Amino acid sequence: MRVDLDIIQNWIRPGTRVLDLGCGDGELLSYLATHKQVTGYGLEIDHDNITACLEAGVNVIEKDIDEGLATLRNASFDAVIMTQALQVMHRPDQIIDEMLRIGKECIITFPNFGHWRARSYLALRGKMPVSKFLPYTWYNTPNIHFCTFKDFERLCVERNIHILDRTVVDNEHRDRWWLRLWPNMLGEIAIYRITR
Amino acid sequence: MPTSTPADSVGLVQPQQFQFDQPLELACGRQLDSYSLTVETYGTLNADRSNAILVCHALSGNHHLAGYHSMDDPKPGWWDSAIGPGKVIDTNRFFVVGLNNLGGCHGSSGPNQPNPETGAPYGPDFPIVTVADWVQSQARLADRLGIQQWAAVIGGSLGGMQALQWAIDYPQRLRHCIIIAAAARLSAQNIAFNEVARQAITRDPQFHDGHYYAEHAIPKTGLMLARMVGHITYLSDDGMREKFGRDMKRGKLSFDLSPQFEIESYLQYQGERFSTAFDANTYLLMTRALDYFDPAALYGDSLSEALRGAQCKFKVISFTTDWRFSPERSREIVDALIDAGKAVSYAEIDSPQGHDAFLIPIPRYMEVFGACLGQVAADIPSSAGEPLRCA
């Protein structure tokens, strides 16, 4: 299992109710259902991923998260998860608000644009960073709202969001002790557990 | 005459008649002392009778889901695209049951069948039956077939409403519920279209207050108009534009009221054909069953409450250009199921065909539907023993 998903599953208590926004092929939900008796739903928009979820027996709802989550009731889930999708949302702040409304707590992962490689790419080449991990050019990228760890934490302060846990992994989703020394420079993927 | 049916067809099939003599209490307060259901089955029921799928029909459907009644039958059953060996509802794996609902006009007890008390056709005296009444009669049929629990109940449109009702009324008797292009209740607009159809029929001079059989008359014009109105709601604006546009039959205006646009003659043709193949009283009754369907009404108007006791897994499918039962209506069902904490998946199929799309083998639809049926097959309890030939 991907290391970020492994970190997340450790944060989910057995027997709880989970909503996974942008659930991909359902790997996390499938794992949680089998190993932690978690009941959950994934929201997804990609057709192949939806079919993969159906084949895996994962509850998947075809839905564009950008259209809002108004039909889901307040605090109706123990945890709302969003992995690697925050940067493609039209309004990340609004979706975080919605996640905190629906879920008692939320787990969010996103690529850190403050990583030294992104910083040096822009500083030295004067061009928007393109890498194996973030392979798109500026005009065709689905990633329209990049942020850094610092940016995210400032949003949390402004919106009165409590950070329960934070960790970082590298772009291969590995956990390295030295990433934690200087996360905003060295960490490539941020994993946050937040509540209100 | 062809000498064989396609390899992926269930082939030549025959309907069977099932007679029931235990009275059926109906929602309207009346009861049917005895009734008969016309049924077709395909595939083989396994030894522990756990691979059975019930397919419920929509407004104008019937028991003839798939295959041919004779070698010179021009068209197969109404859902032949989805049912057969190797097809999405694979008759090599599943035992598939289709029936003509009560009040129908294709052999089951209904307005055009004799009332056992009088010997004459029921006509308008046949009770207005509801979706819940149908489901009750379908449960009796399941008893008769020895099927304690369906592997799945599946339906599109009004058929999807029956599948939903099954999950509410008989939670232990189905493992999967597949609801396609349906709604949990009709909108005012839906009821409005139904009322236009009913007025067209009842105002036809040939209708004779529903007693047209005795007069050897058929309210053909009314039924044709009803079908034309209905047919418009089955297609989408885009679909109609794509198929007909403003195409003209003779390429120029004739400055009279004869049909000149292709869409006019298409609708007339569809209406004509339907008016000779369907019964007007059944059409009235079916539209009323649609209007009355509202399972949430018994639960304080809360669909989540209505679904609280359901135990099966749900799959809901809608089509983007369906405006009769739009994706929004399917999402209402999905939201209620999530609210009630039930297992549910939902897919919204991009298609230009409007409501009719549920009958069309659109590639992504078939892929999604196939994945759903894969789960239905996976949830059949593993059994020892040899398959049973069904009677």
Side-chain angles (χ1 to χ4, degrees):
Chain A
M1 182 182 246
R2 249 165 57 191
V3 172
D4 58 337
L5 299 186
D6 193 43
I7 291 168
I8 293 168
Q9 70 84 10
N10 266 311
W11 287 345
I12 302 289
R13 282 181 297 279
T16 52
R17 204 168 126 86
V18 167
L19 180 68
D20 188 354
L21 305 180
C23 65
D25 62 7
E27 183 185 8
L28 178 63
L29 283 172
S30 183
Y31 180 90
L32 291 172
T34 314
H35 295 91
K36 293 201 161 183
Q37 293 73 51
V38 160
T39 51
Y41 306 91
L43 268 45
E44 184 52 64
I45 196 167
D46 179 80
H47 292 175
D48 292 337
N49 278 336
I50 290 167
T51 302
C53 286
L54 288 169
E55 284 167 349
V58 167
N59 293 325
V60 63
I61 310 296
E62 179 161 349
K63 182 162 178 69
D64 180 354
I65 301 161
D66 272 327
E67 287 171 2
L69 303 170
T71 57
L72 297 169
R73 277 198 296 149
N74 293 358
S76 53
F77 286 90
D78 296 299
V80 180
I81 302 167
M82 179 183 266
T83 58
Q84 301 296 89
L86 189 66
Q87 72 280 0
V88 307
M89 295 290 117
H90 284 143
R91 283 296 299 268
D93 59 332
Q94 288 176 358
I95 194 72
I96 292 169
D97 278 345
E98 277 292 85
M99 289 173 72
L100 290 163
R101 177 183 68 77
I102 297 158
K104 291 168 191 149
E105 61 179 57
C106 301
I107 297 168
I108 295 179
T109 83
F110 57 88
N112 172 33
F113 220 60
H115 184 258
W116 68 268
R117 220 173 289 157
R119 294 190 198 200
S120 62
Y121 197 107
L122 184 58
L124 299 174
R125 302 193 198 188
K127 294 195 290 188
M128 288 302 281
V130 175
S131 66
K132 205 168 78 182
F133 174 50
L134 295 167
Y136 302 97
T137 45
W138 65 273
Y139 49 82
N140 66 2
T141 180
N143 303 313
I144 52 177
H145 281 117
F146 276 123
C147 69
T148 71
F149 292 5
K150 272 190 180 171
D151 290 327
F152 184 80
E153 297 208 356
R154 171 176 288 193
L155 177 73
C156 291
V157 171
E158 282 171 7
R159 302 283 173 105
N160 271 322
I161 297 166
H162 301 291
I163 296 170
L164 298 171
D165 265 308
R166 66 164 77 73
T167 192
V168 290
V169 291
D170 71 11
N171 65 6
E172 260 138 34
H173 302 96
R174 284 171 307 205
D175 186 9
R176 295 275 187 265
W177 64 269
W178 40 267
L179 299 178
R180 280 179 295 238
L181 294 179
W182 198 359
N184 199 33
M185 187 62 96
L186 300 175
E188 286 187 288
I189 295 172
I191 309 178
Y192 279 85
R193 190 158 71 96
I194 57 177
T195 187
R196 182 153 265 157
Chain B
M1 194 194 297
T3 53
S4 69
T5 55
D8 63 351
S9 164
V10 295
L12 285 179
V13 293
Q14 286 303 320
Q16 309 168 63
Q17 208 66 24
F18 288 81
Q19 177 66 29
F20 296 83
D21 294 317
Q22 185 195 351
L24 190 73
E25 303 284 342
L26 303 173
C28 63
R30 292 169 61 187
Q31 68 173 36
L32 282 174
D33 292 331
S34 68
Y35 55 96
S36 145
L37 295 174
T38 306
V39 178
E40 273 181 23
T41 69
Y42 322 94
T44 308
L45 189 61
N46 63 12
D48 49 7
R49 298 168 187 266
S50 59
N51 68 332
I53 290 180
L54 174 67
V55 175
C56 304
H57 71 75
L59 181 59
S60 58
N62 55 38
H63 55 278
H64 184 37
L65 311 178
Y68 300 83
H69 281 156
S70 70
M71 290 309 288
D72 52 0
D73 206 347
K75 275 173 77 173
W78 60 267
W79 218 3
D80 196 77
S81 61
I83 300 168
K87 290 183 183 169
V88 170
I89 303 177
D90 187 348
T91 49
N92 292 329
R93 286 205 278 197
F94 299 112
F95 175 67
V96 181
V97 178
L99 78 157
N100 187 211
N101 279 326
L102 283 176
C105 55
H106 293 97
S108 293
S109 294
N112 71 349
Q113 294 293 315
N115 179 346
E117 280 171 26
T118 64
Y122 277 103
D125 300 329
F126 195 84
I128 296 286
V129 286
T130 64
V131 169
D133 292 334
W134 284 334
V135 167
Q136 197 193 162
S137 69
Q138 290 161 3
R140 297 260 181 95
L141 175 63
D143 295 342
R144 181 73 62 86
L145 295 169
I147 295 160
Q148 186 46 43
Q149 188 181 59
W150 298 102
V153 178
I154 303 175
S157 193
L158 178 55
M161 295 173 178
Q162 292 159 60
L164 183 62
Q165 190 79 49
W166 260 98
I168 295 168
D169 289 355
Y170 298 96
Q172 287 163 6
R173 298 200 67 176
L174 67 164
R175 287 189 294 277
H176 287 261
C177 177
I178 304 182
I179 301 165
I180 305 166
R185 57 159 65 123
L186 261 59
S187 67
Q189 189 192 47
N190 292 144
I191 296 171
F193 277 112
N194 282 347
E195 179 56 11
V196 173
R198 283 190 291 266
Q199 289 291 326
I201 291 169
T202 56
R203 285 168 185 263
D204 185 322
Q206 300 298 310
F207 182 63
H208 300 285
D209 290 326
H211 296 285
Y212 45 88
Y213 316 98
E215 308 286 334
H216 303 289
I218 300 176
K220 240 186 114 199
T221 309
L223 199 51
M224 175 181 152
L225 287 172
R227 181 60 168 183
M228 285 170 75
V229 167
H231 210 96
I232 295 169
T233 71
Y234 303 150
L235 305 176
S236 73
D237 189 20
D238 283 350
M240 263 197 200
R241 188 177 303 130
E242 215 169 90
K243 197 166 172 183
F244 306 103
R246 292 178 54 83
D247 291 354
M248 313 212 47
K249 284 164 66 76
R250 270 181 233 94
K252 59 179 175 61
L253 305 176
S254 58
F255 293 93
D256 59 28
L257 298 178
S258 65
Q260 290 150 60
F261 293 96
E262 287 290 354
I263 183 63
E264 293 175 301
S265 32
Y266 172 78
L267 277 183
Q268 288 194 14
Y269 169 76
Q270 292 293 337
E272 285 272 358
R273 211 176 52 151
F274 188 75
S275 69
T276 55
F278 209 80
D279 180 73
N281 281 319
T282 289
Y283 201 86
L284 296 171
L285 181 151
M286 293 276 174
T287 57
R288 261 304 182 228
L290 274 163
D291 293 354
Y292 285 1
F293 180 68
D294 186 6
L298 290 174
Y299 297 83
D301 254 1
S302 164
L303 188 58
S304 324
E305 280 309 313
L307 287 161
R308 195 73 61 191
Q311 294 180 14
C312 61
K313 297 176 183 171
F314 293 84
K315 304 283 185 289
V316 181
I317 299 173
S318 73
F319 300 90
T320 48
T321 57
D322 183 352
W323 59 281
R324 184 178 173 89
F325 300 139
S326 69
E328 190 56 42
R329 316 309 310 285
S330 285
R331 275 186 240 125
E332 286 166 10
I333 299 173
V334 172
D335 289 337
L337 286 166
I338 292 176
D339 198 35
K342 303 302 166 188
V344 57
S345 289
Y346 170 62
E348 205 168 292
I349 310 297
D350 207 353
S351 89
Q353 288 101 339
H355 188 60
D356 261 356
F358 87 88
L359 294 167
I360 298 168
I362 299 157
R364 181 171 180 239
Y365 171 32
M366 289 297 114
E367 181 183 300
V368 163
F369 199 7
C372 297
L373 267 298
Q375 286 299 303
V376 175
D379 284 344
I380 292 175
S382 56
S383 97
E386 288 297 298
L388 273 183
R389 282 272 152 211
C390 181

